[in-house]
Amino acid sequence: MNIQTIIKTLIDSGIEKNEAECEIKLLLEGFFNYTEKDKIQGKLLSEADIQKLFNVVEMRIKNKMPVQYIIGKAWFMGEYFKVTPDVLIPRDETEILVKNAIDIINTSKFKSVLDIGTGSGCIACTIAKQTGATVLGTDISSDALRIALDNVTALGINNRAVFRKSNLFDKIRFDEKFDLIISNPPYIPIGTELQEEVLKEPKIALFADENGLEFYKRIIDKAPQYLNNNGYLMFEVGINQAEVVRDMMTKYFNELNIIKDFAGIDRVVAGKFIK
């Protein structure tokens, strides 16, 4: 048995070849600290390690557990973040949201950011680390906030990213103002059929009422109360939601912009608040 045989086992279970190769790479790094550099240098895993890898892959196939939960971490914008089934797994699409937010923050020299539905804290932590802004991340889930705190501590930016339990704006003081409000809210319409692996993620962070638009409406209606003049509101959106969300934002926001992801899908909507 070798690594290629194990990759084939994943492919035979229905996982696409590229995804299977990425999963094995994550498992090798997560369990054995075996990197691409080790592979290039010809370093070999022991038979015992190969067997352990195979056993993990068999468990992953049987339980449909995402590999990031198995190893307890996920890669996002150059850092590993702790993840458990209490938080969403960071995805490439969200990097589009964060990269554009960082550009706006650095260009405008923004100092305060609110991340609504922070989950693992990957958005809040990345912004805090790559800009001069301080970020407040909020979430309704105490379990998610514990993961976010672990991540901010691991990155050594406790004084730059802080967290608070809040259902949207419920625990935000009226006198608290932000230069940018950012959110990757639940946006999958209730009733949508998903892969078994995705359903291992917290449903509270996946599904939304009103055909997936519930949280966009609620955030858009309240955001102007908490934004500084010339501040921004930015969202990640689901497929075919961008134009609807942009139209919802026209009531309060200007300079509205839709940004595509790597697959050419409209993925981010941003608008400027001008009093």
Side-chain angles (χ1 to χ4, degrees):
M1 187 188 304
N2 56 34
I3 292 174
Q4 290 304 315
T5 303
I6 299 174
I7 291 174
K8 186 177 184 302
T9 301
L10 277 172
I11 295 170
D12 290 344
S13 75
I15 297 171
E16 293 184 3
K17 182 175 182 292
N18 287 343
E19 186 177 346
E21 291 173 345
C22 287
E23 289 196 5
I24 293 299
K25 180 181 176 182
L26 284 171
L27 289 171
L28 287 170
E29 291 183 4
F31 281 108
F32 310 106
N33 198 29
Y34 183 90
T35 65
E36 285 295 304
K37 182 179 179 181
D38 294 319
K39 181 180 177 181
I40 292 169
Q41 292 177 344
K43 181 180 177 181
L44 300 176
L45 291 173
S46 67
E47 288 186 15
D49 286 342
I50 291 289
Q51 184 61 51
K52 180 180 178 182
L53 178 64
F54 179 71
N55 293 342
V56 171
V57 166
E58 278 198 319
M59 179 189 71
R60 183 257 182 275
I61 293 170
K62 179 181 179 181
N63 297 335
K64 303 295 183 182
M65 184 64 70
V67 66
Q68 291 89 346
Y69 289 156
I70 293 173
I71 64 175
K73 59 185 179 180
W75 186 253
F76 183 78
M77 289 194 63
E79 301 283 353
Y80 272 115
F81 286 85
K82 178 181 179 179
V83 293
T84 73
D86 295 312
V87 298
L88 285 182
I89 297 166
R91 288 172 167 80
D92 291 344
E93 306 93 271
T94 306
E95 292 197 4
I96 304 295
L97 173 69
V98 176
K99 286 176 181 175
N100 281 276
I102 287 171
D103 287 343
I104 290 172
I105 293 165
N106 287 335
T107 299
S108 303
K109 295 182 171 55
F110 284 163
K111 296 300 181 184
S112 56
V113 176
L114 174 63
D115 172 27
I116 297 176
T118 196
S120 67
C122 64
I123 292 175
C125 290
T126 303
I127 289 174
K129 187 165 185 179
Q130 296 191 24
T131 74
T134 298
V135 188
L136 170 61
T138 65
D139 206 288
I140 196 172
S141 167
S142 297
D143 293 326
L145 290 171
R146 280 191 281 271
I147 301 302
L149 285 168
D150 286 344
N151 281 320
V152 78
T153 299
L155 291 171
I157 50 172
N158 300 65
N159 60 330
R160 301 286 311 290
V162 295
F163 300 100
R164 184 184 304 169
K165 186 172 183 179
S166 178
N167 183 4
L168 302 183
F169 296 98
D170 284 357
K171 299 300 181 181
I172 306 300
R173 299 190 310 274
F174 191 74
D175 63 338
E176 289 182 285
K177 304 293 182 182
F178 302 91
D179 295 316
L180 184 144
I181 297 174
I182 188 169
S183 183
N184 175 21
Y187 57 67
I188 300 173
I190 293 173
T192 302
E193 293 187 8
L194 300 174
Q195 293 179 320
E196 288 185 62
E197 286 87 347
V198 178
L199 291 173
K200 298 293 185 182
E201 300 185 63
K203 292 179 177 58
I204 193 173
L206 291 172
F207 296 104
D209 216 336
E210 300 183 44
N211 201 31
L213 299 172
E214 171 191 2
F215 293 101
Y216 298 115
K217 291 180 180 179
R218 293 173 64 184
I219 293 170
I220 290 167
D221 284 344
K222 287 282 190 76
Q225 300 176 36
Y226 299 95
L227 275 170
N228 290 319
N229 191 33
N230 295 315
Y232 279 79
L233 175 63
M234 299 185 70
F235 290 116
E236 178 178 322
V237 297
I239 295 173
N240 298 323
Q241 291 179 331
E243 291 188 8
V244 179
V245 173
R246 180 188 61 190
D247 290 346
M248 290 163 54
M249 291 176 67
T250 57
K251 183 177 180 180
Y252 303 110
F253 296 89
N254 299 279
E255 299 180 23
L256 291 159
N257 191 22
I258 294 175
I259 302 160
K260 296 183 183 297
D261 64 15
F262 300 113
I265 296 169
D266 292 340
R267 187 60 67 181
V268 172
V269 182
K272 190 175 185 178
F273 176 64
I274 302 175
K275 293 182 180 179

